[in-house]
Amino acid sequence: MANADRVRVRGLSIARPIVYGNSARLLTSEERENVPPEHTHRWTVALRSAASAPGSDIVGGADDLSYFIKRVSFKLHETYPNPMRNIDKPPFELSETGWGEFEVHIKLHFIPESGEKVITIYHHLKLHPWSLSGDTESIPPLEVAQKAGTVHSWQYEEIVFNDPYQNFLNILTNNPPTPIPRTNTSGRTIPFHIGNPASFESLKGGVPEFTSLLEKDEAERLDKAKKLIIAEQEKTRALLIAKEKELARLQKMLNG
Ligand code: SLL
């Protein structure tokens, strides 16, 4: 790399929106003949661009992310043979069959020009339409799962690069991400809660899609939550001060 490319552009941040998560569905009886008898589901775990391709029935994935991502590794539960699965070209996804939910460790390796370290994200692989059965403790009955169809659990995230190398910045700016639509193109609203993939699932009538309006809603929700926390902190602090005063008063009394 030329020296000029190794210069960091200080004070600049550039982000790329992604989605990660999984979809899952029950295996058909024919499919079950060709897998271990305890396997009940086929699932796909993926890391994709946030925008969905027009008319596509997959969540995200409008853009090929290999201009900045070199490898995505998915570390599966150790009940799987060779649990470390490296995907070195797009689409960065992996399909398997299985019977249980577990935490997938997703490691993003960026292109060498980035000079960026590996990022690890965690995704709880979801197979069951938990919230549909109203019982979040036990696995929903088969009829509920059959009715739910494909289960989705996806998270929106932005990968932020701070002080990027000039060369890497050029690569990024030459590959602008497809903007996510402002509102859902299918006209459906989606409950979208960062950190709560369970609420973003099993949408009847189509495939979930991330939109900037949802992002705005989420930002407002976070803002409200923050204000609430600050108010709570103030209350607790006032209480603490009162208790300390009380303590000082009692100590004084005790000391005569
Ligand atoms: C559970 N903690 O007990 C989880 C573990 C592991 C799921 C789930 C594959 C197995 C195989 C598979 O579905 N593992 O290939 O035999 O629910």
Side-chain angles (χ1 to χ4, degrees):
M1 214 180 295
N3 269 349
D5 295 335
R6 301 272 13 153
V7 172
R8 283 193 180 272
V9 184
R10 301 270 172 208
L12 191 127
S13 292
I14 181 163
R16 283 295 175 267
I18 55 148
V19 292
Y20 64 90
N22 81 281
S23 60
R25 62 168 181 82
L26 284 166
L27 290 170
T28 63
S29 40
E30 295 88 74
E31 286 171 322
R32 289 198 65 168
E33 286 167 19
N34 306 310
V35 298
E38 64 277 18
H39 286 201
T40 48
H41 289 76
R42 172 163 287 282
W43 50 258
T44 300
V45 61
L47 182 117
R48 301 183 181 134
S49 70
S52 305
S56 160
D57 63 352
I58 66 165
V59 176
D63 306 331
D64 174 349
L65 299 182
S66 59
Y67 68 90
F68 77 104
I69 294 176
K70 185 178 66 144
R71 159 180 288 182
V72 177
S73 60
F74 298 98
K75 189 162 160 275
L76 308 180
H77 193 264
E78 58 261 21
T79 45
Y80 279 93
N82 316 313
M84 188 59 134
R85 310 288 176 86
N86 294 327
I87 309 295
D88 291 326
K89 54 181 195 305
F92 296 111
E93 58 184 58
L94 177 76
S95 287
E96 262 292 358
T97 61
W99 54 267
E101 301 188 341
F102 58 92
E103 195 99 89
V104 186
H105 299 205
I106 306 171
K107 277 191 167 28
L108 311 191
H109 303 252
F110 300 103
I111 57 167
E113 291 89 331
S114 72
E116 295 285 334
K117 292 199 199 78
V118 171
I119 290 181
T120 308
I121 49 190
Y122 300 91
H123 171 67
H124 184 83
L125 185 81
K126 189 172 147 187
L127 303 185
H128 309 294
W130 295 103
S131 59
L132 282 191
S133 68
D135 174 2
T136 52
E137 297 295 315
S138 47
I139 292 172
L142 196 65
E143 311 85 72
V144 173
Q146 270 159 349
K147 224 174 76 207
T150 301
V151 165
H152 287 283
S153 176
W154 299 94
Q155 286 289 291
Y156 175 92
E157 192 64 78
E158 282 175 10
I159 307 177
V160 180
F161 301 105
N162 297 315
D163 305 333
Y165 284 113
Q166 182 63 62
N167 188 35
F168 185 48
L169 179 61
N170 295 345
I171 293 170
L172 292 175
T173 50
N174 286 338
N175 291 276
T178 300
I180 51 175
R182 210 179 94 76
T183 54
N184 196 291
T185 46
S186 63
R188 279 176 302 106
T189 52
I190 301 169
F192 165 36
H193 301 292
I194 287 171
N196 182 12
S199 63
F200 182 41
E201 62 162 74
S202 305
L203 296 142
K204 287 275 133 193
V207 166
E209 185 180 31
F210 285 94
T211 64
S212 56
L213 208 63
L214 288 171
E215 208 183 337
K216 198 173 136 274
D217 285 355
E218 185 67 13
E220 280 167 10
R221 260 198 298 277
L222 287 175
D223 210 47
K224 260 195 208 143
K226 209 153 98 191
K227 285 194 181 118
L228 213 72
I229 290 169
I230 291 170
E232 279 301 317
Q233 272 175 341
E234 288 302 325
K235 254 197 246 164
T236 313
R237 187 172 304 142
L239 201 71
L240 190 68
I241 290 169
K243 294 272 182 213
E244 272 171 357
K245 270 194 190 144
E246 175 74 358
L247 184 68
R249 192 180 66 80
L250 291 175
Q251 258 161 1
K252 215 164 149 191
M253 252 169 66
L254 213 63
N255 297 338

